[in-house]
Amino acid sequence: MAFQPYLNFRDNAREAFTRYHEIFGGNLVLLTGNDVPPGADAPPAEFRDLIIHAALEVGDDFLMASDTGAENFGPVQWMYVSYTTDEVADANRVFDALAEGGDVEVPFGQTFFSPGFGVTKDRFGVPWMISTNQPQG
């Protein structure tokens, strides 16, 4: 069993997931309304070029999303996508890339519980918690 975040974006899921693919690597799948086969429930015309499903597969993990047409759509609140790695340099690289054009809540640095930890909201409004595992031994 695994928990896998599914995010919603206001018409910029393609841009966000293209950026996440640059940062994390892995396998990226982007499906638009134009990809719905004939005879299936096609989305409204205004969704034909928008993302109806994005999936970024990195190892055994997935981050997924879609664009939304909600009128009252707002920024993600009180939730974080958490990324943890064994390497401080990798965590710092990911933090810096996600923080670019965003808002840093907790600068990346050493804490009592992690050799590298930081919290940022990326330029797409997604909050991220980046951490490094304690060395074993």
Side-chain angles (χ1 to χ4, degrees):
M1 184 168 114
F3 294 98
Q4 299 165 338
Y6 199 101
L7 307 173
N8 289 124
F9 291 84
R10 181 63 172 180
D11 305 341
N12 63 348
R14 177 186 304 277
E15 180 184 1
F17 268 65
T18 298
R19 179 65 177 142
Y20 299 157
H21 185 238
E22 291 170 358
I23 294 169
F24 296 105
N27 183 38
L28 177 62
V29 174
L30 297 173
L31 299 175
T32 69
N34 288 320
D35 295 317
V36 175
D41 290 334
E46 61 268 19
F47 279 88
R48 301 304 261 152
D49 294 322
L50 296 178
I51 300 299
I52 60 171
H53 180 69
L56 179 60
E57 178 185 13
V58 181
D60 293 333
D61 296 315
F62 282 90
L63 182 64
M64 297 177 285
S66 63
D67 285 314
T68 181
E71 292 297 322
N72 60 352
F73 184 81
V76 177
Q77 297 181 35
W78 307 115
M79 181 281 309
Y80 295 89
V81 177
S82 180
Y83 174 79
T84 304
T85 183
D86 290 334
E87 301 296 325
V88 173
D90 183 47
N92 197 7
R93 176 193 65 80
V94 167
F95 181 86
D96 288 346
L98 291 169
E100 184 179 306
D103 295 311
V104 172
E105 293 179 27
V106 176
F108 188 84
Q110 186 173 358
T111 68
F112 73 93
F113 59 86
S114 174
F117 175 82
V119 179
T120 189
K121 187 177 287 185
D122 69 22
R123 68 181 184 224
F124 308 105
V126 176
W128 290 85
M129 189 178 295
I130 308 302
S131 61
T132 307
N133 290 320
Q134 287 283 5
Q136 298 297 315

